[in-house]
Short mmCIF file of all heavy atoms in Angstrom, two decimals:
data_model
loop_
_atom_site.label_atom_id
_atom_site.label_comp_id
_atom_site.label_asym_id
_atom_site.label_seq_id
_atom_site.Cartn_x
_atom_site.Cartn_y
_atom_site.Cartn_z
N PHE A 1 -27.07 -15.58 12.53
CA PHE A 1 -26.53 -14.51 11.68
C PHE A 1 -25.05 -14.29 11.94
O PHE A 1 -24.27 -14.03 11.03
CB PHE A 1 -27.29 -13.20 11.94
CG PHE A 1 -28.48 -12.98 11.07
CD1 PHE A 1 -29.69 -13.59 11.37
CD2 PHE A 1 -28.41 -12.17 9.96
CE1 PHE A 1 -30.80 -13.39 10.57
CE2 PHE A 1 -29.52 -11.96 9.15
CZ PHE A 1 -30.72 -12.57 9.46
N ALA A 2 -24.66 -14.37 13.22
CA ALA A 2 -23.29 -14.05 13.60
C ALA A 2 -22.29 -15.12 13.18
O ALA A 2 -21.10 -14.84 13.08
CB ALA A 2 -23.22 -13.87 15.12
N VAL A 3 -22.77 -16.32 12.91
CA VAL A 3 -21.86 -17.43 12.67
C VAL A 3 -21.95 -17.96 11.23
O VAL A 3 -20.99 -17.85 10.46
CB VAL A 3 -22.14 -18.58 13.68
CG1 VAL A 3 -21.24 -19.77 13.37
CG2 VAL A 3 -21.93 -18.11 15.11
N VAL A 4 -23.09 -18.52 10.86
CA VAL A 4 -23.17 -19.33 9.64
C VAL A 4 -23.04 -18.53 8.35
O VAL A 4 -22.21 -18.87 7.49
CB VAL A 4 -24.44 -20.20 9.65
CG1 VAL A 4 -24.42 -21.17 8.48
CG2 VAL A 4 -24.55 -20.98 10.97
N PRO A 5 -23.82 -17.45 8.13
CA PRO A 5 -23.66 -16.70 6.87
C PRO A 5 -22.27 -16.11 6.70
O PRO A 5 -21.80 -15.93 5.57
CB PRO A 5 -24.72 -15.59 6.99
CG PRO A 5 -25.72 -16.10 7.96
CD PRO A 5 -24.93 -16.91 8.94
N LYS A 6 -21.58 -15.81 7.83
CA LYS A 6 -20.21 -15.28 7.75
C LYS A 6 -19.28 -16.32 7.12
O LYS A 6 -18.40 -15.98 6.33
CB LYS A 6 -19.70 -14.95 9.15
CG LYS A 6 -20.40 -13.79 9.84
CD LYS A 6 -19.82 -12.46 9.40
CE LYS A 6 -20.22 -11.34 10.34
NZ LYS A 6 -21.65 -11.18 10.55
N VAL A 7 -19.48 -17.58 7.48
CA VAL A 7 -18.65 -18.67 6.93
C VAL A 7 -18.83 -18.75 5.42
O VAL A 7 -17.86 -18.78 4.65
CB VAL A 7 -19.00 -20.02 7.60
CG1 VAL A 7 -18.23 -21.16 6.93
CG2 VAL A 7 -18.70 -19.98 9.08
N ALA A 8 -20.09 -18.79 4.98
CA ALA A 8 -20.39 -18.89 3.54
C ALA A 8 -19.89 -17.65 2.80
O ALA A 8 -19.33 -17.75 1.69
CB ALA A 8 -21.88 -19.08 3.32
N GLY A 9 -20.09 -16.47 3.41
CA GLY A 9 -19.67 -15.22 2.77
C GLY A 9 -18.17 -15.16 2.56
O GLY A 9 -17.69 -14.77 1.48
N LEU A 10 -17.40 -15.55 3.58
CA LEU A 10 -15.94 -15.53 3.45
C LEU A 10 -15.47 -16.57 2.45
O LEU A 10 -14.53 -16.32 1.68
CB LEU A 10 -15.28 -15.77 4.81
CG LEU A 10 -13.77 -15.58 4.80
CD1 LEU A 10 -13.41 -14.10 4.67
CD2 LEU A 10 -13.12 -16.17 6.04
N ALA A 11 -16.13 -17.73 2.42
CA ALA A 11 -15.76 -18.78 1.45
C ALA A 11 -15.90 -18.27 0.02
O ALA A 11 -15.01 -18.47 -0.82
CB ALA A 11 -16.63 -20.02 1.67
N VAL A 12 -17.01 -17.59 -0.25
CA VAL A 12 -17.26 -17.07 -1.60
C VAL A 12 -16.28 -15.94 -1.92
O VAL A 12 -15.76 -15.85 -3.04
CB VAL A 12 -18.73 -16.57 -1.71
CG1 VAL A 12 -18.92 -15.83 -3.02
CG2 VAL A 12 -19.69 -17.74 -1.63
N LEU A 13 -16.01 -15.09 -0.93
CA LEU A 13 -15.06 -13.99 -1.15
C LEU A 13 -13.69 -14.54 -1.52
O LEU A 13 -13.05 -14.06 -2.48
CB LEU A 13 -14.97 -13.16 0.13
CG LEU A 13 -14.25 -11.82 0.04
CD1 LEU A 13 -15.01 -10.86 -0.87
CD2 LEU A 13 -14.07 -11.20 1.41
N ILE A 14 -13.22 -15.55 -0.79
CA ILE A 14 -11.93 -16.17 -1.10
C ILE A 14 -11.97 -16.80 -2.48
O ILE A 14 -11.01 -16.68 -3.26
CB ILE A 14 -11.57 -17.23 -0.03
CG1 ILE A 14 -11.25 -16.55 1.31
CG2 ILE A 14 -10.38 -18.08 -0.48
CD1 ILE A 14 -11.08 -17.51 2.47
N LYS A 15 -13.07 -17.46 -2.81
CA LYS A 15 -13.18 -18.13 -4.12
C LYS A 15 -13.12 -17.10 -5.25
O LYS A 15 -12.44 -17.32 -6.27
CB LYS A 15 -14.48 -18.93 -4.19
CG LYS A 15 -14.66 -19.66 -5.50
CD LYS A 15 -15.79 -20.67 -5.43
CE LYS A 15 -15.26 -22.06 -5.23
NZ LYS A 15 -16.27 -23.11 -5.44
N PHE A 16 -13.80 -15.96 -5.10
CA PHE A 16 -13.75 -14.92 -6.13
C PHE A 16 -12.33 -14.37 -6.30
O PHE A 16 -11.87 -14.15 -7.42
CB PHE A 16 -14.72 -13.77 -5.78
CG PHE A 16 -16.06 -13.89 -6.43
CD1 PHE A 16 -17.11 -14.49 -5.77
CD2 PHE A 16 -16.28 -13.40 -7.70
CE1 PHE A 16 -18.36 -14.60 -6.36
CE2 PHE A 16 -17.52 -13.50 -8.32
CZ PHE A 16 -18.57 -14.10 -7.64
N MET A 17 -11.64 -14.15 -5.19
CA MET A 17 -10.28 -13.61 -5.26
C MET A 17 -9.31 -14.64 -5.83
O MET A 17 -8.36 -14.28 -6.55
CB MET A 17 -9.80 -13.18 -3.88
CG MET A 17 -10.65 -12.12 -3.19
SD MET A 17 -10.85 -10.59 -4.13
CE MET A 17 -12.54 -10.75 -4.69
N PHE A 18 -9.55 -15.91 -5.53
CA PHE A 18 -8.62 -16.97 -5.91
C PHE A 18 -8.79 -17.42 -7.35
O PHE A 18 -7.82 -17.83 -8.00
CB PHE A 18 -8.80 -18.17 -4.96
CG PHE A 18 -7.83 -19.29 -5.20
CD1 PHE A 18 -6.46 -19.10 -5.04
CD2 PHE A 18 -8.27 -20.54 -5.60
CE1 PHE A 18 -5.56 -20.12 -5.26
CE2 PHE A 18 -7.38 -21.59 -5.82
CZ PHE A 18 -6.02 -21.37 -5.65
N ILE A 19 -10.03 -17.34 -7.87
CA ILE A 19 -10.25 -17.84 -9.25
C ILE A 19 -10.51 -16.70 -10.24
O ILE A 19 -9.59 -16.31 -10.97
CB ILE A 19 -11.37 -18.91 -9.28
CG1 ILE A 19 -11.03 -20.06 -8.33
CG2 ILE A 19 -11.54 -19.46 -10.71
CD1 ILE A 19 -12.11 -21.13 -8.23
N PRO A 20 -11.73 -16.10 -10.31
CA PRO A 20 -11.96 -15.14 -11.38
C PRO A 20 -11.10 -13.87 -11.30
O PRO A 20 -10.71 -13.32 -12.32
CB PRO A 20 -13.45 -14.80 -11.25
CG PRO A 20 -13.84 -15.20 -9.89
CD PRO A 20 -12.95 -16.34 -9.52
N PHE A 21 -10.78 -13.41 -10.06
CA PHE A 21 -10.04 -12.15 -9.93
C PHE A 21 -8.56 -12.36 -9.60
O PHE A 21 -7.87 -11.42 -9.22
CB PHE A 21 -10.67 -11.27 -8.84
CG PHE A 21 -12.09 -10.89 -9.12
CD1 PHE A 21 -13.00 -10.68 -8.09
CD2 PHE A 21 -12.55 -10.71 -10.42
CE1 PHE A 21 -14.30 -10.32 -8.33
CE2 PHE A 21 -13.86 -10.35 -10.70
CZ PHE A 21 -14.74 -10.15 -9.64
N SER A 22 -8.07 -13.57 -9.79
CA SER A 22 -6.68 -13.87 -9.40
C SER A 22 -5.66 -13.10 -10.23
O SER A 22 -4.55 -12.82 -9.77
CB SER A 22 -6.42 -15.38 -9.53
OG SER A 22 -6.66 -15.82 -10.86
N ASN A 23 -6.03 -12.76 -11.46
CA ASN A 23 -5.08 -12.09 -12.35
C ASN A 23 -5.12 -10.57 -12.25
O ASN A 23 -4.39 -9.87 -12.97
CB ASN A 23 -5.33 -12.51 -13.80
CG ASN A 23 -5.04 -13.99 -14.01
OD1 ASN A 23 -4.04 -14.51 -13.52
ND2 ASN A 23 -5.92 -14.68 -14.72
N ILE A 24 -6.00 -10.02 -11.40
CA ILE A 24 -6.05 -8.56 -11.22
C ILE A 24 -5.85 -8.23 -9.74
O ILE A 24 -6.54 -7.37 -9.17
CB ILE A 24 -7.37 -7.96 -11.76
CG1 ILE A 24 -8.59 -8.69 -11.18
CG2 ILE A 24 -7.41 -7.99 -13.28
CD1 ILE A 24 -9.91 -7.98 -11.49
N LEU A 25 -4.88 -8.90 -9.13
CA LEU A 25 -4.60 -8.72 -7.70
C LEU A 25 -4.34 -7.26 -7.36
O LEU A 25 -4.86 -6.74 -6.36
CB LEU A 25 -3.39 -9.58 -7.31
CG LEU A 25 -2.79 -9.34 -5.91
CD1 LEU A 25 -3.78 -9.70 -4.84
CD2 LEU A 25 -1.50 -10.13 -5.74
N SER A 26 -3.56 -6.57 -8.18
CA SER A 26 -3.20 -5.19 -7.87
C SER A 26 -4.42 -4.27 -7.85
O SER A 26 -4.41 -3.25 -7.15
CB SER A 26 -2.18 -4.67 -8.88
OG SER A 26 -2.69 -4.78 -10.20
N GLU A 27 -5.47 -4.64 -8.60
CA GLU A 27 -6.68 -3.81 -8.66
C GLU A 27 -7.56 -3.96 -7.42
O GLU A 27 -8.15 -3.00 -6.96
CB GLU A 27 -7.51 -4.12 -9.92
CG GLU A 27 -7.07 -3.40 -11.16
CD GLU A 27 -5.84 -4.04 -11.79
OE1 GLU A 27 -5.46 -5.15 -11.35
OE2 GLU A 27 -5.27 -3.44 -12.73
N TRP A 28 -7.66 -5.19 -6.88
CA TRP A 28 -8.57 -5.38 -5.75
C TRP A 28 -7.88 -5.40 -4.39
O TRP A 28 -8.53 -5.27 -3.35
CB TRP A 28 -9.41 -6.64 -5.90
CG TRP A 28 -8.69 -7.96 -6.02
CD1 TRP A 28 -8.50 -8.68 -7.16
CD2 TRP A 28 -8.11 -8.75 -4.96
NE1 TRP A 28 -7.83 -9.85 -6.89
CE2 TRP A 28 -7.59 -9.93 -5.55
CE3 TRP A 28 -7.98 -8.59 -3.59
CZ2 TRP A 28 -6.94 -10.92 -4.80
CZ3 TRP A 28 -7.34 -9.58 -2.83
CH2 TRP A 28 -6.83 -10.72 -3.45
N GLN A 29 -6.56 -5.51 -4.38
CA GLN A 29 -5.85 -5.64 -3.10
C GLN A 29 -6.04 -4.42 -2.21
O GLN A 29 -6.33 -4.55 -1.00
CB GLN A 29 -4.36 -5.89 -3.35
CG GLN A 29 -3.60 -6.29 -2.08
CD GLN A 29 -2.17 -6.72 -2.39
OE1 GLN A 29 -1.50 -6.11 -3.22
NE2 GLN A 29 -1.71 -7.76 -1.73
N LEU A 30 -5.91 -3.22 -2.77
CA LEU A 30 -6.06 -2.00 -1.98
C LEU A 30 -7.48 -1.86 -1.43
O LEU A 30 -7.68 -1.35 -0.32
CB LEU A 30 -5.70 -0.77 -2.82
CG LEU A 30 -4.21 -0.44 -2.94
CD1 LEU A 30 -4.00 0.73 -3.87
CD2 LEU A 30 -3.61 -0.16 -1.56
N ILE A 31 -8.46 -2.31 -2.22
CA ILE A 31 -9.86 -2.24 -1.75
C ILE A 31 -10.05 -3.13 -0.53
O ILE A 31 -10.64 -2.71 0.48
CB ILE A 31 -10.83 -2.67 -2.88
CG1 ILE A 31 -10.69 -1.74 -4.09
CG2 ILE A 31 -12.27 -2.68 -2.38
CD1 ILE A 31 -11.48 -2.20 -5.30
N ILE A 32 -9.54 -4.37 -0.60
CA ILE A 32 -9.67 -5.30 0.53
C ILE A 32 -8.90 -4.78 1.74
O ILE A 32 -9.37 -4.89 2.88
CB ILE A 32 -9.18 -6.71 0.14
CG1 ILE A 32 -10.03 -7.29 -1.00
CG2 ILE A 32 -9.22 -7.64 1.34
CD1 ILE A 32 -11.43 -7.64 -0.62
N ILE A 33 -7.73 -4.20 1.51
CA ILE A 33 -6.95 -3.64 2.63
C ILE A 33 -7.73 -2.53 3.32
O ILE A 33 -7.81 -2.47 4.56
CB ILE A 33 -5.59 -3.11 2.13
CG1 ILE A 33 -4.68 -4.27 1.74
CG2 ILE A 33 -4.91 -2.24 3.19
CD1 ILE A 33 -3.39 -3.84 1.06
N PHE A 34 -8.35 -1.64 2.52
CA PHE A 34 -9.15 -0.55 3.10
C PHE A 34 -10.32 -1.10 3.91
O PHE A 34 -10.57 -0.66 5.05
CB PHE A 34 -9.67 0.38 2.00
CG PHE A 34 -10.73 1.33 2.48
CD1 PHE A 34 -10.37 2.45 3.23
CD2 PHE A 34 -12.07 1.10 2.23
CE1 PHE A 34 -11.34 3.33 3.70
CE2 PHE A 34 -13.05 1.97 2.70
CZ PHE A 34 -12.68 3.09 3.43
N ILE A 35 -11.05 -2.06 3.33
CA ILE A 35 -12.20 -2.65 4.03
C ILE A 35 -11.75 -3.34 5.32
O ILE A 35 -12.41 -3.23 6.37
CB ILE A 35 -12.94 -3.64 3.10
CG1 ILE A 35 -13.61 -2.91 1.94
CG2 ILE A 35 -13.98 -4.45 3.87
CD1 ILE A 35 -14.21 -3.83 0.89
N SER A 36 -10.63 -4.03 5.26
CA SER A 36 -10.09 -4.73 6.43
C SER A 36 -9.74 -3.74 7.54
O SER A 36 -10.14 -3.92 8.70
CB SER A 36 -8.87 -5.54 6.02
OG SER A 36 -8.23 -6.08 7.16
N ILE A 37 -8.99 -2.69 7.19
CA ILE A 37 -8.57 -1.70 8.19
C ILE A 37 -9.78 -0.99 8.79
O ILE A 37 -9.89 -0.82 10.02
CB ILE A 37 -7.60 -0.67 7.55
CG1 ILE A 37 -6.27 -1.34 7.24
CG2 ILE A 37 -7.40 0.53 8.47
CD1 ILE A 37 -5.30 -0.47 6.46
N ALA A 38 -10.72 -0.57 7.92
CA ALA A 38 -11.92 0.13 8.40
C ALA A 38 -12.74 -0.76 9.33
O ALA A 38 -13.25 -0.29 10.36
CB ALA A 38 -12.77 0.58 7.21
N SER A 39 -12.85 -2.03 9.01
CA SER A 39 -13.62 -2.97 9.84
C SER A 39 -12.95 -3.18 11.19
O SER A 39 -13.61 -3.21 12.24
CB SER A 39 -13.78 -4.32 9.12
OG SER A 39 -14.49 -4.18 7.91
N MET A 40 -11.62 -3.34 11.18
CA MET A 40 -10.89 -3.54 12.44
C MET A 40 -11.02 -2.31 13.35
O MET A 40 -11.25 -2.45 14.55
CB MET A 40 -9.41 -3.84 12.15
CG MET A 40 -9.16 -5.20 11.55
SD MET A 40 -7.42 -5.66 11.46
CE MET A 40 -6.83 -4.60 10.14
N ILE A 41 -10.89 -1.12 12.76
CA ILE A 41 -10.95 0.11 13.57
C ILE A 41 -12.36 0.32 14.13
O ILE A 41 -12.54 0.58 15.33
CB ILE A 41 -10.50 1.33 12.74
CG1 ILE A 41 -9.00 1.22 12.42
CG2 ILE A 41 -10.80 2.64 13.48
CD1 ILE A 41 -8.49 2.29 11.46
N LEU A 42 -13.37 0.21 13.27
CA LEU A 42 -14.75 0.44 13.73
C LEU A 42 -15.15 -0.61 14.77
O LEU A 42 -15.75 -0.30 15.79
CB LEU A 42 -15.73 0.40 12.56
CG LEU A 42 -17.15 0.72 13.02
CD1 LEU A 42 -17.48 2.18 12.79
CD2 LEU A 42 -18.18 -0.14 12.31
N GLY A 43 -14.78 -1.88 14.51
CA GLY A 43 -15.12 -2.95 15.44
C GLY A 43 -14.49 -2.74 16.80
O GLY A 43 -15.08 -3.09 17.83
N ALA A 44 -13.27 -2.14 16.82
CA ALA A 44 -12.57 -1.91 18.09
C ALA A 44 -13.13 -0.71 18.84
O ALA A 44 -13.30 -0.75 20.06
CB ALA A 44 -11.09 -1.72 17.82
N VAL A 45 -13.42 0.37 18.11
CA VAL A 45 -13.81 1.63 18.75
C VAL A 45 -15.29 1.67 19.11
O VAL A 45 -15.67 2.04 20.23
CB VAL A 45 -13.43 2.83 17.84
CG1 VAL A 45 -13.93 4.13 18.44
CG2 VAL A 45 -11.93 2.88 17.62
N ALA A 46 -16.14 1.29 18.16
CA ALA A 46 -17.59 1.44 18.37
C ALA A 46 -18.13 0.52 19.46
O ALA A 46 -19.13 0.84 20.10
CB ALA A 46 -18.34 1.17 17.06
N ALA A 47 -17.48 -0.61 19.69
CA ALA A 47 -17.97 -1.56 20.70
C ALA A 47 -17.75 -1.06 22.12
O ALA A 47 -18.43 -1.52 23.05
CB ALA A 47 -17.29 -2.91 20.51
N ILE A 48 -16.86 -0.10 22.31
CA ILE A 48 -16.51 0.36 23.66
C ILE A 48 -17.71 0.94 24.39
O ILE A 48 -17.89 0.75 25.59
CB ILE A 48 -15.35 1.39 23.59
CG1 ILE A 48 -14.07 0.71 23.11
CG2 ILE A 48 -15.13 2.07 24.94
CD1 ILE A 48 -12.92 1.66 22.86
#
């Protein structure tokens, strides 16, 4: 779970951003930034 599905999931996420959603960057960029920041903060704090 920790390794293989993450690889496939990120591949698909990149593909969606690069092809079908490439022309609406301004609409999804803030969402990805929020998810990224929230994941980094929770991953750092909750693991302590």
Side-chain angles (χ1 to χ4, degrees):
F1 270 81
V3 177
V4 187
K6 292 277 196 304
V7 174
L10 188 72
V12 171
L13 191 66
I14 290 172
K15 181 168 259 192
F16 265 94
M17 301 303 106
F18 184 63
I19 303 177
F21 299 149
S22 58
N23 295 317
I24 52 170
L25 170 64
S26 57
E27 275 79 10
W28 59 257
Q29 191 172 40
L30 278 176
I31 299 173
I32 298 291
I33 290 172
F34 167 76
I35 292 173
S36 172
I37 290 173
S39 298
M40 289 189 288
I41 292 173
L42 183 97
V45 175
I48 293 173

